[in-house]
Amino acid sequence: PYVTVYSYFLNVSLKRSNIFFISLIPQEPSNKRVRPLAKVSSLVNLISPSKNGAVRRFGQTIQSMSLRGDSKSPGMSLRAGSKAAGPTPTKRRNSTLWSETLDVHQKNTFSIKEIKRQEAIHELYRGEQDLIEDLQLARKAYHDPMLKLSIMTEEELAHIFGDLDAYIPLHEDLLMKLTEGTGPDGTVAHIGQIVIDWLPGLNAYKGYCSNQLAAKALLDQKKQDRRVQDFLQRCLESPFSRKLDLWSFLDIPRSRLVKYPLLLREILKHTAPDHSDVPSLERAITIIQEILSEINVRKGESECQYYIDKLEYLDDKQRDPLIDDCKILLCHGELRNKSGSRLHVFLFSELLVLTRPVTRNDRSCFQVYRQPIPVRDLALEDLHDGESRMGGSFRGAFNNGEKAKNVFRVSSLDPSHGQSHTLHVNDVYHKQQWLNCLRTAMGPQQQGAPPRVKQGHAVRVKRRSSTISVTISDEETDENCPPPL
């Protein structure tokens, strides 16, 4: 019964909100395209702890995150037993160029450089329109129906969606200022100061970006509820979603922040050097970079604290006081020891912590495994292929007498710890990523005492992604860990 009720309510709600489904009558595809700005690499995934053995690396800034247009999040698979539906036309977005709004006579009055400048300004304007539309859709098609149908509580929705009512007027304000700054000929002569006056409002996103990791974890948890899963699936199959899932809409503001410096640089690129708008545009670029830097710091600290709060100690002696000084999580990931038991290793700025993923009262947490190792006491060895002996703790990790490749060892210089962990990485690239993370952490901590690194073969690696797959085992001579859970 609830499916019929909220399906009917959703249709009514969307119509009252001026969100209409597109007719099934085929439409001619648009051949109008906007020249895309330079893309940035997708290096950071704001997702809950991985369950596929990947290691997440955290040193990147928000500028290195992907743009919304770079990819589409895959939707959930159809429910078992459901019939495959025919293709549903998705909602189309206007892709008209600024120059295409002019007649031939008007176009001839502008230089090629000025046309390109106005195209870049128009791209900023239209991007704000799209963002506002997406934020309004997130509220009217997802937030409000789930609240009224009691699919989620108001507190849960606030935690996941943030303060949408504050973000929508912020971007509407920029649209209004750009409209007011447009002259009779359809051009914006001076955009720099308009943006400078508006940019401080983006500080409202500090809390939103800092909360994304926890918000995504809560959303993933709520998806286990059949009602939530069914509702989101129906939305995904509807034309208004453009085949994007809910998290894609919630991540759009963060993606938009990434794009502002690119848009402003594109406008500046096509602005004549002697144009009076140049100093203002340069200042605007500096301001947005400062804002993004502050958001990065807040976001990094929030993510670090998120995982610290999820650490669970079997003994109070395991809680190293240095954990309170950790503000940066350099990398972390799920892996397995020689017994096949899952481990999750965290490399904080001050500590290396090995844990076991566990669930307590439906809450996922990480039970600390052995004693955390202070980074200042870490020793690092880059081992040659085949240098590590086989058998012992490698039994089960390597097959048919195969030699150990892509291996390095971390150990504690403090004899009281008596810990040594040999890590096997899937390939040379990911091994180098681990070594880089460890050296980054060890450098500031061990000034005057260079890390003890034994170099094996030379490694040349291109930076591809931030995902590292590893397996980990203890040296047989240091087996003093508790039995697997």
Side-chain angles (χ1 to χ4, degrees):
Y2 72 87
V3 174
T4 303
V5 172
Y6 79 67
S7 178
Y8 169 77
F9 175 83
L10 179 60
N11 289 331
V12 174
S13 175
L14 294 177
K15 290 178 180 178
R16 290 179 177 175
S17 305
N18 295 323
I19 302 176
F20 298 100
F21 291 88
I22 295 177
S23 169
L24 295 178
I25 300 175
Q27 300 181 19
E28 289 294 326
S30 172
N31 59 2
K32 299 172 183 177
R33 295 290 185 267
V34 177
R35 183 171 61 85
L37 298 175
K39 295 182 179 179
V40 294
S41 300
S42 177
L43 298 177
V44 178
N45 296 317
L46 294 176
I47 62 176
S48 54
S50 170
K51 297 183 180 180
N52 59 3
V55 169
R56 305 291 172 186
R57 187 176 176 196
F58 275 73
Q60 292 79 16
T61 64
I62 194 169
Q63 289 95 326
S64 64
M65 298 178 185
S66 63
L67 300 183
R68 171 167 56 92
D70 289 346
S71 62
K72 293 184 179 181
S73 297
M76 296 180 293
S77 59
L78 292 176
R79 297 181 303 279
S82 62
K83 296 182 179 180
T88 304
T90 57
K91 185 173 182 180
R92 297 181 184 273
R93 282 221 154 127
N94 178 25
S95 59
T96 304
L97 297 172
W98 176 80
S99 58
E100 292 173 338
T101 64
L102 307 175
D103 58 35
V104 177
H105 174 72
Q106 287 178 305
K107 188 179 296 187
N108 291 335
T109 62
F110 300 108
S111 66
I112 295 178
K113 191 174 187 67
E114 181 61 24
I115 289 177
K116 290 183 177 180
R117 169 180 157 85
Q118 295 302 322
E119 296 285 18
I121 295 174
H122 184 65
E123 172 70 5
L124 172 65
Y125 181 91
R126 196 178 63 244
E128 292 299 294
Q129 287 181 316
D130 292 344
L131 176 59
I132 292 170
E133 179 182 324
D134 287 334
L135 292 177
Q136 290 174 335
L137 188 146
R139 171 169 287 285
K140 295 174 182 177
Y142 292 93
H143 178 282
D144 292 352
M146 285 194 287
L147 177 61
K148 293 182 179 179
L149 296 170
S150 300
I151 295 176
M152 288 193 201
T153 67
E154 186 172 2
E155 182 179 356
E156 290 170 338
L157 290 169
H159 191 68
I160 293 173
F161 284 80
D163 191 4
L164 291 177
D165 288 334
Y167 310 139
I168 294 173
L170 171 65
H171 297 283
E172 288 177 334
D173 181 52
L174 179 57
L175 276 186
M176 181 185 68
K177 290 179 178 178
L178 289 175
T179 301
E180 293 174 349
T182 302
D185 60 354
T187 65
V188 179
H190 295 85
I191 188 175
Q193 191 59 46
I194 292 175
V195 176
I196 288 175
D197 294 339
W198 175 79
L199 282 176
L202 292 180
N203 285 305
Y205 281 113
K206 288 181 179 179
Y208 185 84
C209 291
S210 297
N211 184 59
Q212 275 195 298
L213 185 62
K216 182 63 166 60
L218 177 58
L219 178 60
D220 287 343
Q221 177 186 341
K222 296 302 296 183
K223 284 181 180 178
Q224 305 305 312
D225 185 328
R226 181 61 180 271
R227 298 181 70 207
V228 175
Q229 186 182 47
D230 189 69
F231 179 88
L232 295 180
Q233 180 64 28
R234 287 175 179 270
C235 289
L236 184 65
E237 295 169 354
S238 300
F240 69 81
S241 73
R242 308 195 308 279
K243 306 303 181 184
L244 300 176
D245 62 11
L246 173 56
W247 183 251
S248 296
F249 285 102
L250 296 177
D251 192 47
I252 284 173
R254 192 266 314 158
S255 299
R256 185 64 178 171
L257 292 177
V258 175
K259 203 169 183 179
Y260 284 125
L262 302 178
L263 290 166
L264 293 176
R265 289 192 184 98
E266 187 73 6
I267 297 172
L268 180 61
K269 175 183 175 181
H270 299 296
T271 301
D274 58 347
H275 196 294
S276 58
D277 206 25
V278 169
S280 296
L281 283 170
E282 292 174 339
R283 175 59 182 156
I285 293 172
T286 300
I287 292 175
I288 185 60
Q289 289 175 330
E290 291 173 350
I291 292 174
L292 293 183
S293 178
E294 293 176 7
I295 291 176
N296 283 329
V297 173
R298 287 275 298 273
K299 172 183 152 299
E301 292 177 351
S302 175
E303 290 169 348
C304 184
Q305 190 61 47
Y306 172 85
Y307 286 111
I308 289 176
D309 292 341
K310 284 184 169 289
L311 296 180
E312 184 180 88
Y313 301 91
L314 292 174
D315 190 313
D316 289 339
K317 294 180 181 179
Q318 285 184 311
R319 184 178 176 86
D320 193 303
L322 287 174
I323 196 67
D324 296 326
D325 297 329
C326 295
K327 302 298 181 184
I328 300 174
L329 177 59
L330 294 175
C331 61
H332 73 104
E334 187 178 279
L335 34 92
R336 294 179 182 274
N337 65 7
K338 66 167 187 176
S339 302
S341 300
R342 292 188 306 158
L343 296 177
H344 203 102
V345 175
F346 296 91
L347 177 59
F348 294 101
S349 55
E350 309 291 333
L351 287 170
L352 179 69
V353 185
L354 282 71
T355 71
R356 298 181 187 275
V358 295
T359 302
R360 298 281 187 265
N361 299 322
D362 295 328
R363 175 181 176 270
S364 63
C365 55
F366 302 91
Q367 187 180 83
V368 175
Y369 167 81
R370 305 187 69 180
Q371 189 70 23
I373 304 176
V375 171
R376 64 172 179 246
D377 295 332
L378 269 179
L380 173 64
E381 292 180 82
D382 183 358
L383 304 177
H384 289 280
D385 288 352
E387 183 174 339
S388 293
R389 63 186 178 85
M390 314 211 17
S393 40
F394 280 99
R395 192 176 294 120
F398 304 98
N399 298 320
N400 302 324
E402 182 181 349
K403 291 184 178 180
K405 297 181 180 180
N406 304 319
V407 179
F408 63 91
R409 181 182 294 121
V410 291
S411 56
S412 175
L413 296 173
D414 186 348
S416 64
H417 280 162
Q419 294 191 59
S420 178
H421 305 283
T422 300
L423 293 80
H424 169 248
V425 189
N426 286 346
D427 54 49
V428 173
Y429 167 73
H430 291 127
K431 172 183 176 178
Q432 190 64 34
Q433 292 297 301
W434 263 110
L435 294 176
N436 289 343
C437 282
L438 287 162
R439 288 168 181 152
T440 298
M442 294 165 63
Q445 296 285 347
Q446 300 181 3
Q447 291 180 358
R452 189 181 68 196
V453 178
K454 181 179 179 182
Q455 292 295 337
H457 56 279
V459 178
R460 292 186 62 188
V461 181
K462 285 186 178 181
R463 296 182 64 86
R464 303 191 306 240
S465 69
S466 61
T467 302
I468 310 172
S469 298
V470 303
T471 55
I472 183 172
S473 60
D474 294 334
E475 286 294 343
E476 186 175 23
T477 56
D478 293 316
E479 275 303 312
N480 58 2
C481 56
L485 294 179

